[in-house]
Amino acid sequence: MNKVMKTIYLLMMLLIVNTCVAFAQSDDKNAQVYNWQTLDIGPAEDYSYALDLNSIKYDRNEDGSINKNIIIYQEKKTNNIPMSTEFNYYTITKCKLNIEQTSICFGDESFYTKKDKFRWTDTPLYLTWITVSRDSIGGMRFIQIVEYARAHDDILTSRS
């Protein structure tokens, strides 16, 4: 009986170690390195916006060719209202821009605390292209992202 208990104990320890290693490896795979560049949206805004320079790229057509009319990127939106209970809380949203139609499509939006603790992710029921006007906050973000893409065309092309 003693030998059986030792074997069971050894198997349980082996299982625990393997499980811990598997979780550690999955965390490494899911770790994302962000490179945020703040977008200038003007004074007196309750939120700040930033573009993840590591995520920006062109979309691809169904035939596999690069579509330089659609830009894919991630955007960070931070709450800057000091008296808010969610001051410095932020979201990271997967976005697409359509240059020809001057529109933005917002995908999954993940919510985080100010200490980078993940809270939840919202997935839109319908993906919709929203036309932006030049003078709006969306329009200012749109212009800066398109200008960045044009200035770094080779980088976006290589990632696509």
Side-chain angles (χ1 to χ4, degrees):
M1 180 99 167
N2 210 0
K3 193 173 185 179
V4 172
M5 292 301 282
K6 285 181 182 179
T7 304
I8 291 173
Y9 177 77
L10 180 63
L11 288 173
M12 286 178 37
M13 292 306 293
L14 196 60
L15 180 64
I16 291 170
V17 169
N18 284 338
T19 303
C20 291
V21 168
F23 279 122
Q25 288 174 344
S26 69
D27 285 345
D28 289 342
K29 289 177 186 175
N30 293 332
Q32 169 114 21
V33 178
Y34 298 106
N35 183 10
W36 298 113
Q37 176 177 311
T38 302
L39 300 171
D40 182 14
I41 56 170
E45 180 54 40
D46 293 339
Y47 297 94
S48 62
Y49 296 87
L51 160 69
D52 176 16
L53 298 179
N54 292 340
S55 71
I56 189 167
K57 65 182 182 177
Y58 294 119
D59 200 3
R60 289 200 170 263
N61 295 318
E62 288 181 15
D63 65 2
S65 62
I66 295 174
N67 182 350
K68 292 189 177 186
N69 187 49
I70 308 288
I71 300 170
I72 300 171
Y73 67 99
Q74 289 186 125
E75 182 177 86
K76 181 179 184 180
K77 177 181 169 186
T78 306
N79 182 332
N80 292 332
I81 307 168
M83 299 305 286
S84 168
T85 57
E86 296 197 345
F87 175 64
N88 282 340
Y89 280 49
Y90 64 92
T91 62
I92 297 175
T93 306
K94 295 178 181 179
C95 306
K96 286 187 178 186
L97 295 181
N98 186 319
I99 296 171
E100 278 183 2
Q101 297 178 359
T102 319
S103 58
I104 299 175
C105 180
F106 298 105
D108 288 356
E109 182 176 27
S110 297
F111 292 76
Y112 297 86
T113 67
K114 61 184 159 194
K115 295 183 180 179
D116 300 326
K117 182 180 176 191
F118 174 75
R119 295 164 69 195
W120 71 84
T121 297
D122 281 344
T123 300
L125 227 48
Y126 304 102
L127 293 176
T128 305
W129 289 96
I130 302 166
T131 303
V132 295
S133 66
R134 213 172 232 292
D135 300 332
S136 69
I137 292 170
M140 288 184 253
R141 290 168 18 224
F142 181 91
I143 291 167
Q144 291 174 63
I145 293 166
V146 170
E147 286 175 354
Y148 178 86
R150 288 185 178 146
H152 299 87
D153 181 66
D154 54 333
I155 294 171
L156 273 71
T157 302
S158 69
R159 289 184 185 153
S160 301

